[in-house]
Amino acid sequence: MLPTPAGDGPARPAGLTIGPLDLAARVDEALRVQAVAFGLSEEEVGIRRYIVQRHMTCPGARALGAYTDDGALAAFVYGMPNDRSYWWSSIVEPYLRAEGRDGWLDGSFVITELHVHPGFQGRGVGRALITRLTDSAAEPRSILSAIDAESPARRLYRSLGYSDLARQVHFPSASLPYAVMGAPLPLLRP
C-alpha cells in the first residue's frame, strides 16, 4: 500500500520524485496503479499488459514515473510520437476527419496513458508528469484521448492547453465514449 503524500512543491509534487520509468520492467506495478485509478478488472489488466509491452517497443516511446521515498510507483505517464498505422490512430482518424482535424495525427506526440494513484490525485502529480514528458517531445503538438465526461482529468488537460478535437469517439473495447484532445507544445503552465 502506498503511503500518504508528505508534502507539495514544484520539484516534488505530493512529496514524490519524478523520474524515468522502465515501464517494460515495471509493467505490473504500473498496471496496479492504473487498475486502482481507472477501475480495471483483472481481465482488463491482462489485456493492457500486452498493449503496454508492445507500445514500449515503438520508436520514441518513453515513460516517466512518480515515486515515493521508498521507490514505490505512485503514478506514471507514457507516450510516443504518433504514427497513423497505430491501432489508436486508425480508430480516431474517422472521427477527426469528420471534424476536419485529422491533420492532428501527423507531427503529434501521443499521451498513451496517464494514471495517478487516488491517494496522490489533485496534488499536481499528473500535471508534473505530462508536462515533463511532453517537454522532451520533438513534435509541435500533443494528442490524447480521455473519457468524454467532465472529470478532473479533462479539467487538467484543458488547463494545459488541450482542447476537444472530436467527441463521442467509440473504441471497440470501451463501454464509454471518449474525446480526442490536442494541444500545441509546450503545454501551458499555471
Side-chain angles (χ1 to χ4, degrees), residues 4-141:
T4 305
D8 232 339
R12 286 178 47 94
L16 302 173
T17 301
I18 305 269
L21 170 62
D22 181 349
L23 190 52
R26 293 181 79 167
V27 65
D28 291 325
E29 188 178 2
L31 289 174
R32 280 193 299 275
V33 170
Q34 185 176 2
V36 172
F38 209 58
L40 299 179
S41 69
E42 282 301 315
E43 181 182 349
E44 291 169 311
V45 167
I47 292 167
R48 288 175 188 255
R49 180 177 296 107
Y50 167 76
I51 292 168
V52 169
Q53 290 172 330
R54 183 172 39 90
H55 282 163
M56 294 316 295
T57 66
C58 294
R62 57 191 181 277
L64 293 174
Y67 304 94
T68 62
D69 288 338
D70 65 359
L73 188 65
F76 73 99
V77 64
Y78 81 94
M80 65 195 88
N82 193 53
D83 185 314
R84 283 183 182 251
S85 69
Y86 294 158
W87 176 85
W88 182 86
S89 290
S90 70
I91 299 298
V92 304
E93 189 272 335
Y95 293 95
L96 292 172
R97 187 175 357 101
E99 299 292 331
R101 296 181 173 139
D102 61 313
W104 274 85
L105 293 173
D106 303 312
S108 289
F109 186 83
V110 180
I111 299 300
T112 309
E113 300 286 352
L114 170 62
H115 297 286
V116 179
H117 187 281
F120 294 90
Q121 290 177 2
R123 300 172 187 271
V125 179
R127 177 181 302 277
L129 285 167
I130 194 171
T131 55
R132 186 148 332 155
L133 188 69
T134 58
D135 279 352
S136 63
E139 295 74 22
R141 54 192 173 188

Side-chain angles (χ1 to χ4, degrees), residues 136-162:
S136 63
E139 295 74 22
R141 54 192 173 188
S142 175
I143 54 177
L144 56 79
S145 55
I147 292 175
D148 192 2
E150 286 310 307
S151 66
R154 296 255 294 157
R155 286 189 292 279
L156 168 65
Y157 299 144
R158 283 192 195 101
S159 75
L160 292 165
Y162 286 91

Side-chain angles (χ1 to χ4, degrees), residues 166-186:
R167 296 191 65 192
Q168 296 297 302
V169 174
H170 295 274
F171 290 100
S173 60
S175 60
L176 298 173
Y178 278 69
V180 176
M181 302 178 79
L185 294 178

